[in-house]
Amino acid sequence: MSGGKVSHPVFARVYQRATDTMDRAGVAVYRRRVAAGLTGRVVEVGAGNGRAFAYYPPTVTHVLAVEPEPRLRAAAQEAATHAPVPVTVTDGLAEALPVADGEADAVVFSLVLCSVPDQAATLREARRVLRPGGQVRFFEHVRAETPGLRRAQRVVDATLWPVLCGGCHTSRDTVGAIRAAGFTITDLDRFPFPATSIPLPPTPHALGTAHL
């Protein structure tokens, strides 16, 4: 792996067991929405255990799935053998993607920008590997829109949440970071997930598309 080693063995085991529950709760619907209409060459950053692979449409010619965590990467490699489109799973970091300049038609982020060490560097890499006119698709934890919940997110992020959840931070202004990286967001849907009567720090999410 270039640039460092990532290992979250406890989180990886818990995440793999939780994936089925997450999909039944509605994550599968969002994964399908993220992938809908994609074409050509796709780079999926932080592919996890590869659960998103099943939703890529046949218009996608190849997916390069980058996953630094070894246990999750092994699960993704197994999932790739059952994917409806060609998928190559590789080791790598979001801040140093193993992709040539302008090689991708789309870059996909799904529940990963909350946990990368450097959002700005990760989004610069997305710009680098995208062809002119390429797009970013994202489904992410995001900063809450209400001050009270934002405060709760900051408290959670300052405690054990990032340690227990593979580096996840609930309070990041990911939508703002995408815009600051030079992308134009052309489609954006904000929603709580899971929907609860009392909003919790990890529930604010956003799903959208951004273009160069």
Side-chain angles (χ1 to χ4, degrees):
M1 157 186 282
S2 175
K5 182 179 180 180
V6 175
S7 181
H8 299 291
V10 175
F11 170 75
R13 287 193 290 269
V14 171
Y15 182 80
Q16 290 189 73
R17 290 197 296 269
T19 300
D20 288 339
T21 301
M22 292 167 61
D23 281 355
R24 286 194 298 270
V27 169
V29 173
Y30 299 124
R31 294 190 202 279
R32 190 181 300 276
R33 286 179 58 187
V34 166
L38 288 175
T39 62
R41 298 160 298 178
V42 174
V43 176
E44 183 177 339
V45 181
N49 59 359
R51 189 55 68 98
F53 299 164
Y55 302 104
Y56 284 108
T59 47
V60 169
T61 57
H62 183 257
V63 176
L64 179 68
V66 180
E67 175 51 55
E69 211 293 321
R71 293 158 187 82
L72 294 177
R73 187 169 63 251
Q77 289 167 338
E78 172 61 23
T81 65
H82 306 289
V85 300
V87 177
T88 301
V89 179
T90 187
D91 191 3
L93 296 175
E95 300 89 344
L97 296 171
V99 183
D101 294 359
E103 190 171 89
D105 295 293
V107 174
V108 171
F109 295 106
S110 184
L111 303 176
V112 66
L113 287 171
C114 60
S115 61
V116 294
D118 189 332
Q119 271 195 337
T122 296
L123 291 165
R124 283 196 300 270
E125 274 293 273
R127 284 183 58 92
R128 180 185 68 79
V129 305
L130 280 171
R131 64 168 176 78
Q135 62 178 300
V136 163
R137 297 284 185 92
F138 59 93
F139 165 49
E140 293 289 343
H141 292 288
V142 293
R143 189 174 67 181
E145 296 185 278
T146 58
L149 190 53
R150 284 185 184 181
R151 286 193 293 272
Q153 287 179 324
R154 290 194 294 270
V155 170
V156 165
D157 289 353
T159 57
L160 288 176
W161 181 269
V163 176
L164 297 175
C165 296
C168 173
H169 293 76
T170 65
S171 62
R172 288 182 174 177
D173 182 13
T174 297
V175 173
I178 291 170
R179 290 192 174 112
F183 292 97
T184 298
I185 295 178
T186 55
D187 182 60
L188 179 63
D189 183 17
R190 293 179 181 268
F191 50 89
F193 178 81
T196 59
S197 57
I198 300 175
L200 300 173
T203 59
H205 282 70
L207 188 152
T209 302
H211 288 84
L212 286 176

